[in-house]
Amino acid sequence: MFSNTKKSECKGTIFSKHYTINCRGKLVEFNKPLVMGILNLTSDSFYDGGKYNSLPAAMQRLETMLDEEADIIDIGAVSTRPHAVPISEKEEIQMLLPALETIRKKYPDILISIDTFRAEVAKLCIEAGVDIINDISGGTMDEQMFETIAKYNVPYILMHIQGTPETMQQNPVYNDVSQDVLMYFAEKVKVLRDLGVNDIILDPGFGFGKTLEHNYQLLSDLEIFHSFELPLLVGVSRKRMIYRPLQIQAEEALNGTTVINTIALQKGAHILRVHDVKEAVQAVKLLQLV
């Protein structure tokens, strides 16, 4: 899955510089872009909510993504679509832990990230064998999150968001979205570094408190985030920034998603977070030939 051969490297991209993260004692190398498959246990996510909120359905979906060569499985139980009202912490835990126990028993070695903004949920999931914490709030929705990450020494996906899922699309405003997100990362990375956190992945947060114009400016300026010399995650899968200008629905946005993912790869994205693993893997493989 994580080949170290020269053949696997992407020519002429940021991948001439290799990054690694430490996942439970195993070094994961970014010598090629990785594909993170989304496993939503939620009932109301914007695209596939309710499809995989039973354990048998979730396991079947997981197995499909692994067959399609997903490198990481990102599991979430709280919808973070615009205007979503989060479920309680107790409900989130009750959905995640049984699924994690079953998944870890059958697949002890796969890389799993948990999509949560709650420190207690992160703690329990790490203790259940999760490798990475993916926090859409960048530590803004639970002040204990950074300390939890530092205590357990796990890789942390630091995402930018303006507001919360309930409020983030209510007239988001920036002086300059790319520079504002850059400064946000600079401040947050310093805090994490001061706490001893070494394994940080940056996510500009496409669609999280951004207008259509903001999203495309971030995409255009994506290379500026390589200044941190940290892996960069891009999550645009079937989002409004794709289907709205095309005047289609999320269900029709696979082709547009592949186009935007390819642009992100050309600009040095290290991880693609996607609903459609097979197509993202194909984009990565073709780009490796260029």
Side-chain angles (χ1 to χ4, degrees):
M1 187 180 293
F2 301 108
S3 172
N4 292 320
T5 63
K6 188 174 182 180
K7 185 177 180 181
S8 72
E9 297 176 11
C10 286
K11 305 170 187 176
T13 73
I14 197 68
F15 291 90
S16 59
K17 181 177 179 60
H18 289 175
Y19 301 120
T20 61
I21 56 172
N22 186 342
C23 293
R24 293 189 296 153
K26 178 173 67 176
L27 282 182
V28 176
E29 294 189 81
F30 291 91
N31 54 6
K32 71 174 184 68
L34 305 184
V35 174
M36 172 186 280
I38 299 168
L39 182 57
N40 279 325
L41 306 183
T42 61
S43 59
D44 66 344
S45 290
F46 79 95
Y47 169 60
D48 58 2
K51 289 184 179 180
Y52 312 118
N53 59 353
S54 71
L55 188 53
M59 290 301 294
Q60 184 175 14
R61 179 60 183 156
L62 171 70
E63 289 162 6
T64 297
M65 291 193 290
L66 293 176
D67 287 342
E68 293 175 345
E69 302 181 51
D71 298 292
I72 307 169
I73 302 297
D74 188 52
I75 306 173
V78 178
S79 176
T80 53
R81 62 174 175 78
H83 313 298
V85 178
I87 62 173
S88 70
E89 182 176 293
K90 181 179 178 181
E91 290 175 296
E92 184 181 6
I93 291 168
Q94 288 174 339
M95 293 176 71
L96 285 174
L97 291 186
L100 282 173
E101 181 181 0
T102 301
I103 291 168
R104 266 291 171 240
K105 187 175 295 184
K106 186 168 184 179
Y107 300 103
D109 297 323
I110 65 172
L111 289 178
I112 299 175
S113 67
I114 287 295
D115 182 357
T116 187
F117 53 82
R118 292 173 169 136
E120 181 64 17
V121 176
K123 169 184 174 294
L124 293 174
C125 289
I126 294 165
E127 291 173 349
V130 162
D131 301 284
I132 301 167
I133 297 300
N134 181 12
D135 178 9
I136 62 122
S137 81
T140 61
M141 294 171 67
D142 189 330
E143 63 183 14
Q144 298 302 313
M145 180 62 87
F146 283 8
E147 287 78 6
T148 299
I149 297 301
K151 177 181 177 181
Y152 285 89
N153 193 28
V154 294
Y156 178 67
I157 299 173
L158 170 65
M159 199 192 83
H160 175 273
I161 186 173
Q162 187 179 101
T164 68
E166 292 176 86
T167 65
M168 63 189 182
Q169 292 308 113
Q170 296 174 7
N171 191 34
V173 175
Y174 298 88
N175 293 321
D176 179 299
V177 66
S178 299
Q179 290 300 316
D180 289 359
V181 174
L182 193 73
M183 290 304 299
Y184 169 95
F185 282 150
E187 294 168 2
K188 298 284 185 176
V189 167
K190 183 181 187 306
V191 174
L192 287 163
R193 292 289 197 216
D194 288 346
L195 288 169
V197 178
N198 295 314
D199 297 311
I200 304 168
I201 298 166
L202 302 180
D203 177 355
F206 290 96
F208 285 82
K210 283 98 177 171
T211 64
L212 186 69
E213 292 75 17
H214 292 148
N215 286 317
Y216 280 98
Q217 183 182 335
L218 279 175
L219 182 65
S220 178
D221 296 338
L222 198 62
E223 293 99 330
I224 69 173
F225 301 114
H226 295 307
S227 61
F228 293 99
E229 298 192 340
L230 295 170
L232 182 64
L233 182 150
V234 168
V236 297
S237 184
R238 296 182 180 266
K239 286 185 176 179
R240 185 176 301 182
M241 66 176 284
I242 295 169
Y243 67 77
R244 182 178 174 187
L246 298 176
Q247 298 184 337
I248 58 176
Q249 300 301 312
E251 291 76 12
E252 304 169 277
L254 174 55
N255 183 60
T257 296
T258 301
V259 171
I260 302 302
N261 278 339
T262 302
I263 294 170
L265 289 170
Q266 292 175 322
K267 290 176 174 288
H270 298 86
I271 303 174
L272 297 178
R273 183 179 183 272
V274 299
H275 297 92
D276 307 282
V277 169
K278 179 176 71 174
E279 290 79 4
V281 168
Q282 288 175 347
V284 169
K285 287 181 176 179
L286 290 176
L287 187 62
Q288 289 177 266
L289 301 175
V290 176

